[in-house]
């Protein structure tokens, strides 16, 4: 299951769970040189080297686990994006096909010119755009991000294996040096022991020589014992010869010992330097080999994901801007004209009523000679004074109307559409605050505002309605009548504020 | 089913399909005053008024249809957002619970410090954030946007009804005036006819008078007929009386006719002015009444939707920026130190090997007296020349190594993660281009690049591996050995480029 016992491809294909081994777990086979090769290496160092490999392996297995989690994550996220994309596509298509298929399609086509319908079509366009973008996200996750992740997994396995090979060589080198140190130490100890032994033997010979020397001192005192002299001389010679021999042996052993000690001391320093170099540089290099490209490749994978998400966002934003522009262009006046143009035979004024003279009546204008003139003038003055009253009343109504309209406009254009608050995430995991609770859109607030709005609206309509705002007029006291009358009474002008 | 025949609430609750009536459809009941009230209005005007109401009704029904479509759209979109949100939540939770639940949680907690794990956790955090944001979208669509849309529907119905009431009054006024015109015309015709009749009667009387006058001329010729004179005088008187009577009648009728003609002419002008005012101002006002607040309320609804979407985007962007920052901070070196700190008992250098003197050996330094000195110096010079060769070789290897490393780095950090192209929508409805096809991520390109990368990597490792790059050295010719030797040979310095 571990990296060391399975091939890279099998590892990926099996996809088994790779629990990182714990530090106190069983030793990792194959990660360390067998003990019998270098039996004289201190066990602490041997254990550390084993643990170092375990640590590297654990690290690589953690990475593989991470990469596997990321792959699973993006595989599932890709599925979610695709589901979302399909739902959006279906949603947009449902309404688009309704628009296309409806028997009043042609009519709707004309309606396209109306600003609210334009907004609605753009919302559908945006939905299709979002659908496409999330499908693209699915595609990028599946065919790019996941592929990269599985490649990084392969890389981690391959690099760990390669690093292990290099590490094993480093360890072999280190153990060889350490093992060698023990050998040269033993050599030094041996030569030193031999040197001591040779020295003691030399000292023994010197003692014997001294003994002989003391005897020859007695000789000078006792010269009379003449017959003993040749025997004694050969004995002295023998002792001297032995001493010389032992002296040579000692010197030889001492030199050997010195060389061995030098060797040991130099090896000691070299081993310490090698161990130090290994711990300070080589282990770090080994980890670097394991890491080679991991962070860079992972960064590129994450950046691919980020690029996809950022691009989705940009595309979304562009679409929303188009809708916002259309919303800015919602225009009641322009729509009214469009409708009136569309049905222009319904809204065009009819032909004027023409004067129909009776049987050869040649008079076709108002005659204002006496006695009719007096009556006309009287009626005109009557209208004039009525108009003055109306103007005052009208002015009052107009003021109230304007104020009411302003109130209505304020109600209708209140900027109550900012929902930023709903997106302020506290860092805690508390559930989403309902956009409707405690806010502008709460049930009570809505009811209150709507009641208020409709009341104002009704008041406005009451003011608009001539039959309620003013007493019903005699048709011959109506404004058009007045206008005409004024025209045919020369010298009398009337200022009309047409409603 | 139409607006005119159902109450506002029923309309909304029934939710039936509201096909806008066609212009040539049957007349709309209740939208126009019954014909018998004003029988003398020209049929063209009557038809136009009917069609105007139909047009307004059709417009309102189109709006209701639009609002209903929008409600359905946002209801379904809210569902889609919720599904998406739940899928994302489930996805994030699956991995989060795995992280929490795993027995190596504590270990993982430490691993949190490692930069790739940090990125992974932030991706999960972002997923939860997206989940929350899309749930918020659902909430806003359901509890805000849809509520607004249904309110606008109510408004459209209420305003159409109110406008219809006002319109009916306008029509009544207009029809009354038009009807009246016919009456005054008929009156004028009648008085004119009477005036003509009176005139002809007067003329007849004048003719008789003239006849009588001619007879009296004969009288002066025939004065002899004396007895006839009183008879003739009374006859003349009678004729004169009749003529006077007829003259009076004629004058009276003529005045009546003049007044009636004046009345007719004034009414004609007034009616034309009223009709003109209706077509030019009142119809427009009527449409304004129908429109009152529609565009403003719809705009606010769309802006709520836009605000939600823009805020979602901002939140998304913030989250992505956090991830991008973490990706920028992916750091192999820092992670290596973290790992080595975490397992510091495994990576800390062991105690130095100490010199172990043999049985009272008091010499614990390298002795460099003769005869050993000569040998040491010889070995030193041997090492020195070997080092010079090594340095040259090493320099070559180093150069190749650096170049190879640079090539590898270039491969590992190639900026191949920009996927903008995948989001360039053509305006056509062509299907999404696969991010993998014909691009950097195509199967062939990937295979080629990976083969290239691994080849370079292998070459790099070959250069790194001392056992392959250099011949295996005598341990006593190794660099540490040289360093130590140099130290104990006074006056000889060696420059070491530690690898």
């Amino acid at each position: 299951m571990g990296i060391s016992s399975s091939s890279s491809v099998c590892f990926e294909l099996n996809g088994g769970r790779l629990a990182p081994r714990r530090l106190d777990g069983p030793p990792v086979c194959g990660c360390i040189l067998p003990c019998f090769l270098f039996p004289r290496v201190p066990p602490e160092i041997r254990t550390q080297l084993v643990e170092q490999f375990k640590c590297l392996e654990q690290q690589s297995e953690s990475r593989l686990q991470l990469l596997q989690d990321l792959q699973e994550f993006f595989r599932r996220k890709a599925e979610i994006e695709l589901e979302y994309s399909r739902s959006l596509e279906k949603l947009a298509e449902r309404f688009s096909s309704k628009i296309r298929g409806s028997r009043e399609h042609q009519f709707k086509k004309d309606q396209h010119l109306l600003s609210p319908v334009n907004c609605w079509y753009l919302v559908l366009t945006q939905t299709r755009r979002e659908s496409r973008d999330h499908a693209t996200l699915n595609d990028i996750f599946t065919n790019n991000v996941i592929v990269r992740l599985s490649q990084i997994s392969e890389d981690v396995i391959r690099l760990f294996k390669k690093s292990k090979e290099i590490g094993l060589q480093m360890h072999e080198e280190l153990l060889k040096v350490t093992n060698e140190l023990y050998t040269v130490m033993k050599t030094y100890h041996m030569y030193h022991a031999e040197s001591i032994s040779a020295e003691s033997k030399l000292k023994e010979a010197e003692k014997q020589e001294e003994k002989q020397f003391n005897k020859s001192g007695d000789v000078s005192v006792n010269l009379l014992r003449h017959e003993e002299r040749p025997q004694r001389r050969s004995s002295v010679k023998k002792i001297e010869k032995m001493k010389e021999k032992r002296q040579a042996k000692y010197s030889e052993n001492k030199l050997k010992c010195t060389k061995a000690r030098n060797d040991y001391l130099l090896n000691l320093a070299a081993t310490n330097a090698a161990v130090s170099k290994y711990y300070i540089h080589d282990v770090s290099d080994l980890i670097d080999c394991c890491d080679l490209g991991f962070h860079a490749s992972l960064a590129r994978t994450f950046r691919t994901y980020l690029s996809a998400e950022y691009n989705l966002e940009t595309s979304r934003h562009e679409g929303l801007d188009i809708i916002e522009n259309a919303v800015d262009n919602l225009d009641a006046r322009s729509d009214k004209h469009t409708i009136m143009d569309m049905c222009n035979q319904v809204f065009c004024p009819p032909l004027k009523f023409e004067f129909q003279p009776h049987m050869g009546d040649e008079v076709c204008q108002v005659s204002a000679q006496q006695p009719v003139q007096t009556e006309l003038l009287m009626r005109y003055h009557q209208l004039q004074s009525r108009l003055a009253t109306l103007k005052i009343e009208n002015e009052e109504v107009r003021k109230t109307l304007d104020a009411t309209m302003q109130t209505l406009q304020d109600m209708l254009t209140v900027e109550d559409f900012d929902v930023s608050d709903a997106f302020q995430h506290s860092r805690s995991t508390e559930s989403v605050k309902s956009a409707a609770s405690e806010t502008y859109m709460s049930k009570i607030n809505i009811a209150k505002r709507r009641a208020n709005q409709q009341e104002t609206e009704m008041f406005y309509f009451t003011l608009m309605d001539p039959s309620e705002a003013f007493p019903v007029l005699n048709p011959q006291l109506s404004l058009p009548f007045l206008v005409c009358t004024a025209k045919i009474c020369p010298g009398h002008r009337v200022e009309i504020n047409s409603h």
Side-chain angles (χ1 to χ4, degrees), chain A residues 1 9 63 89 130 137 161-162 241 405 465:
Chain A
M1 203 169 85
V9 180
R63 282 181 183 171
E89 174 59 33
E130 283 175 23
L137 221 52
K161 285 190 167 176
K162 196 69 206 168
K241 208 175 176 184
M405 193 56 191
D465 191 340

Side-chain angles (χ1 to χ4, degrees), chain A residues 363-380 484-492:
Chain A
V363 186
C364 57
Q365 287 197 321
V366 175
S367 60
Q369 275 80 40
Q370 284 299 2
V372 190
Q373 192 182 30
T374 319
E375 199 187 317
L376 274 175
L377 273 175
M378 202 186 69
R379 209 203 273 179
Y380 173 72
C484 305
T485 321
K487 273 186 197 153
I488 48 98
C489 292
H492 292 87

Side-chain angles (χ1 to χ4, degrees), chain A residues 181-275:
Chain A
L181 180 65
Y182 186 83
T183 310
V184 294
M185 185 187 76
K186 283 295 163 200
T187 308
Y188 149 64
H189 284 182
M190 190 184 73
Y191 282 126
H192 190 253
E194 278 175 12
S195 169
I196 288 169
S197 149
E199 191 182 22
S200 69
K201 275 182 182 163
L202 174 63
K203 278 196 177 140
E204 197 183 313
E206 279 171 347
K207 222 176 262 170
Q208 279 184 9
E209 191 189 34
E210 201 176 344
K211 225 175 181 177
Q212 199 66 34
F213 186 73
N214 286 348
K215 269 184 188 163
S216 68
D218 293 345
V219 167
S220 61
V221 176
N222 197 10
L223 280 170
L224 294 174
R225 284 181 173 176
H226 198 258
E227 64 276 28
E228 286 178 10
R229 212 176 296 167
Q231 273 183 351
R232 212 175 293 159
R233 200 179 297 148
S234 82
S235 166
V236 168
K237 249 187 178 165
K238 216 172 162 187
I239 288 170
E240 271 181 355
K241 208 175 176 184
M242 187 186 72
K243 198 197 115 185
E244 269 167 26
K245 205 177 152 193
R246 290 192 177 177
Q247 178 69 51
K249 182 78 178 174
Y250 169 62
S251 292
E252 186 199 331
N253 280 352
K254 201 180 171 193
L255 181 62
K256 269 187 184 167
C257 173
T258 302
K259 276 187 177 173
R261 198 200 299 106
N262 275 358
D263 227 23
Y264 172 43
L265 280 165
L266 285 171
N267 255 298
L268 186 71
T271 305
N272 278 332
V275 169

Side-chain angles (χ1 to χ4, degrees), chain A residues 90-127:
Chain A
K90 220 186 278 172
L91 175 64
E93 186 49 32
R94 178 172 142 200
F95 289 97
S96 297
S97 70
K98 190 177 166 186
I99 291 162
R100 278 195 305 274
S102 69
R103 59 188 179 90
E104 61 265 23
H105 181 40
Q106 197 53 44
F107 177 69
K108 290 269 179 184
K109 222 173 187 176
D110 298 335
Q111 291 258 320
H112 195 296
L113 301 163
L114 298 182
S115 52
V117 180
N118 186 36
C119 288
W120 165 226
Y121 286 2
L122 287 176
V123 167
L124 289 180
T125 306
Q126 172 71 355
T127 307

Side-chain angles (χ1 to χ4, degrees), chain A residues 122-123 126-127 129-130 313-327:
Chain A
L122 287 176
V123 167
Q126 172 71 355
T127 307
R129 181 178 195 143
E130 283 175 23
E313 191 189 292
T314 307
S315 170
R316 233 181 127 82
H317 196 96
E318 281 172 14
L320 292 175
D321 283 352
I322 293 170
I323 297 178
E324 193 175 45
N325 186 45
V327 172

